[in-house]
Amino acid sequence: MQPFDSIPHQPPFYHQLLHQIVSQIHRGLALPTLVEKTVTEVRSILAADRLVLYQLQGPLQQQPPEQLHEPAEVMAALPAKAADPGQITYEVRATDAIPSVLQMTETACGANLPQLEQRYRSGQARAVDDVAQTYRRQACLRKLLQRAEVKSLLIAPMWVQGQLWGLLIAHQCQQRQWQSGEIAFLQQVAAHLAIAVTQAQLQQQLQQQTTALETAVTERTQALRDALMAAEAASLAKGEFLSTMSHELRSPLTCIIGMSATLLRWPIGELSPRQRSYLTTINRSGEQLLDSINDVLEVARIESGRTVLEMSEFSLTALARNSLRRFQEQAEQQQVSLSLDLRIEPSQDPFTADPRRLQQILSYLLSNAIKFTPAAGRAQLSVWREPQCAVFQLKDTGIGIPESQQTLLFEQFKQLESSLQRQYPGAGLGLALTKQLVELHGGSIQVSSRVGQGSEFTVRIPEFRPPADSDIYREKLSAPSAGRILLVENEDSTARLVSGLLSAAGYQVIWMLEGSRLFEQVTLLQPQVLIADLDLVKDRQTLADCDRYLTTSDLKILVLTQLAPEAISAAIPEQFDDAIHKPLDPQLLLQKVQALTPFA
């Protein structure tokens, strides 16, 4: 673009207008407003009778060369019809006496867009001082221009993103000799308007892309939410189904195992070897199936948040030895050497965690090690202490696990290969449960394995350290966790009703099935409200423990009872804050809980 100061024979107001256009472009002035103001001011500065902006809207239909008219740009003086390449979008006239070209409907004499683009490829403006003389051989065009009262033309092209976007044309109703400064000025104005059009198009494209991206993100987010809700619903349905089926299957299995064991010990008459073999198979198969059902039920409990750790102090040495003792016979049958490596000093032996859950973790690891280790193989359990945690490491010389499949180890109902499932039966829950129980303690589990060389599982369990006798602990007990509710209820339907209702109201509900270790769980979880079945907490020791806790906390107790409403006040102990009778009224339950705590 030619610099302002290099345009020849230009008065200062030419430069002022060009600077004004550039400033308005930089400020992001709306394109219609910018074009309208510019066309008006340029007509005034040039003292033209009419100034129009002819905007091309598409390529012309190609015509044979012999039908082309040489001065194709003259079409800019006329309005466009549907078959024409464009239309006049802006027009400014000196007076109303000058006819408007916006309303003219004469059929175009013909034009060729490629020829027009070629003519203005350099971006130079073109001046026509005498229309009658220049177009003396084109009668059609002369008539059109005469009707528009055009005697002289000054045409400047507007190129936008490599295409001829339009023409800026000055009309004069009297013959006029255009000066070089006027030609250069209109050319500069057209070039700056082209920049404004380019900027507007880019902004429009950006806005369209932004809108499309926002729409895509919104749709994708909604799709992910729908998928998450569907997954959560499926997970909930799966958990409820597993829990229900596990309970339904345990009862008949208990009878099968119990009666087959009774017949093996106290048969009615003599049993033949075949009968005893059949009964033994029934008994062992029933026990295996019961173990699998218990695993499924344990998974459902953990996923539903109904599993609560029961922390107590125990001996790591005793735990490890007892675990090995339970699997010694199985290892001998598999011809697997099972050993224990204890690296614990006597002062390090006491440990605080949930011993029953740690026993389960070691059982799953030992069972897997023995199952997947061939005859004459070895499995060793090592136990040692690290700062703030205990480490259990189990090494075996089993079949090993390919690195590509190690990520599947802890998924539920997964066995690595179908051939393994046929050779080593199982539900595929052991390691999944192990990981869940380890994480329930806040610990970690790692695996290292090579095919044909064996596997190594390392479990780290942090020690639970409740400073029960310290001032800090007493201060902590005096401020229960807001919104946390501990529910003690062994009736499944009632517990589900209470948990679902209060969870929907924004509370955090932790469900316990029995109240034998109620005080330990209360001090561990620090609930704001304790909801308990009266039959589970009415023994004197539990009441004494709760009374001792109430002296250092703001715990509220709401009891559930079968007593009639009129008999409740006389029957419940003074330590309890409120009571509600069964069957539960959901609205009344929510009101009582909200009355005991401001949390919602």
Side-chain angles (χ1 to χ4, degrees), residues 182-235:
E182 294 171 338
I183 298 172
F185 171 67
L186 190 64
Q187 179 178 318
Q188 286 284 339
V189 171
H192 283 88
L193 285 180
I195 293 174
V197 172
T198 301
Q199 179 175 292
Q201 288 183 350
L202 292 175
Q203 289 178 345
Q204 184 179 13
Q205 293 172 6
L206 178 61
Q207 182 62 37
Q208 291 174 348
Q209 292 174 355
T210 302
T211 303
L213 180 60
E214 290 176 352
T215 302
V217 170
T218 301
E219 292 176 352
R220 181 59 176 164
T221 301
Q222 186 59 46
L224 290 174
R225 286 175 180 165
D226 294 342
L228 178 60
M229 291 177 63
E232 290 176 347
S235 179

Side-chain angles (χ1 to χ4, degrees), residues 35-44 48-53 88-96 98-102 168-171:
V35 172
E36 184 176 357
K37 292 178 63 176
T38 301
V39 170
T40 301
E41 293 177 3
V42 169
R43 190 217 63 81
S44 177
D49 292 328
R50 185 192 296 117
L51 191 71
V52 298
L53 175 62
I88 295 174
T89 55
Y90 288 91
E91 177 192 68
V92 179
R93 294 172 291 156
T95 67
D96 292 339
I98 299 173
S100 172
V101 297
L102 288 173
L168 190 62
I169 310 107
H171 293 167

Side-chain angles (χ1 to χ4, degrees), residues 454-470:
S455 303
E456 177 182 293
F457 290 86
T458 304
V459 174
R460 285 177 168 81
I461 302 293
E463 184 171 17
F464 176 72
R465 295 180 180 275
D469 297 326
S470 68

Side-chain angles (χ1 to χ4, degrees), residues 419-455:
S419 60
L420 293 181
Q421 192 167 6
R422 290 190 295 268
Q423 186 177 355
Y424 305 99
L429 282 175
L431 289 177
L433 265 173
T434 300
K435 184 174 184 290
Q436 288 178 326
L437 292 173
V438 168
E439 291 177 348
L440 201 61
H441 280 83
S444 65
I445 182 170
Q446 297 173 322
V447 59
S448 174
S449 183
R450 290 187 179 182
V451 176
Q453 297 184 23
S455 303

Side-chain angles (χ1 to χ4, degrees), residues 86 112 118 181 206 339 346:
N112 180 267
Q118 183 62 34
L206 178 61
S339 61

Side-chain angles (χ1 to χ4, degrees), residues 113 152 334 533:
L113 184 58
S152 296
Q334 296 284 114
D533 189 296

Side-chain angles (χ1 to χ4, degrees), residues 480-485 526-530 554-556 597-599:
S481 298
R484 180 176 294 170
I485 294 177
Q526 301 179 45
Q528 195 172 16
V529 179
L530 169 64
D554 294 326
L555 176 69
K556 305 297 183 182
T597 171
F599 177 84

